[in-house]
Amino acid sequence: MEKIRIETEFIRLDALVKLTGMVDTGGQAKAAIQDGLVRVNGEVCLMRGKKLRPGDTAELNGRTFQVEQ
């Protein structure tokens, strides 16, 4: 599991997917989320605006990131 550090209270799921390099563009992040390819805390999440806070995890293509502050 990889860690992603944020300085804010939360990060939106689509921003996290792009920031971590799991995809190259925001459009690809949106598509991956809408296609049900992204898991948040182990469950498929279709909400690209989902707020992830420290302790939450996001997974795509076998890579898992945990948000920390």
Side-chain angles (χ1 to χ4, degrees):
M1 182 178 306
E2 302 172 66
K3 306 283 184 179
I4 187 74
R5 187 172 200 71
I6 61 171
E7 301 295 326
T8 56
E9 179 184 345
F10 64 86
I11 185 170
R12 286 175 32 138
L13 179 58
D14 57 351
L16 177 101
V17 170
K18 185 177 174 202
L19 177 68
T20 58
M22 290 191 271
V23 298
D24 294 326
T25 68
Q28 289 174 338
K30 178 182 175 182
I33 294 165
Q34 288 180 336
D35 290 345
L37 302 176
V38 179
R39 292 182 171 270
V40 173
N41 297 325
E43 296 184 15
V44 172
C45 182
L46 302 176
M47 300 181 303
R48 65 182 178 154
K50 170 94 173 143
K51 294 176 181 177
L52 301 179
R53 293 174 170 28
D56 288 334
T57 62
E59 179 183 346
L60 175 63
N61 296 331
R63 292 179 70 191
T64 303
F65 287 87
Q66 183 172 36
V67 178
E68 64 178 32
Q69 203 163 31

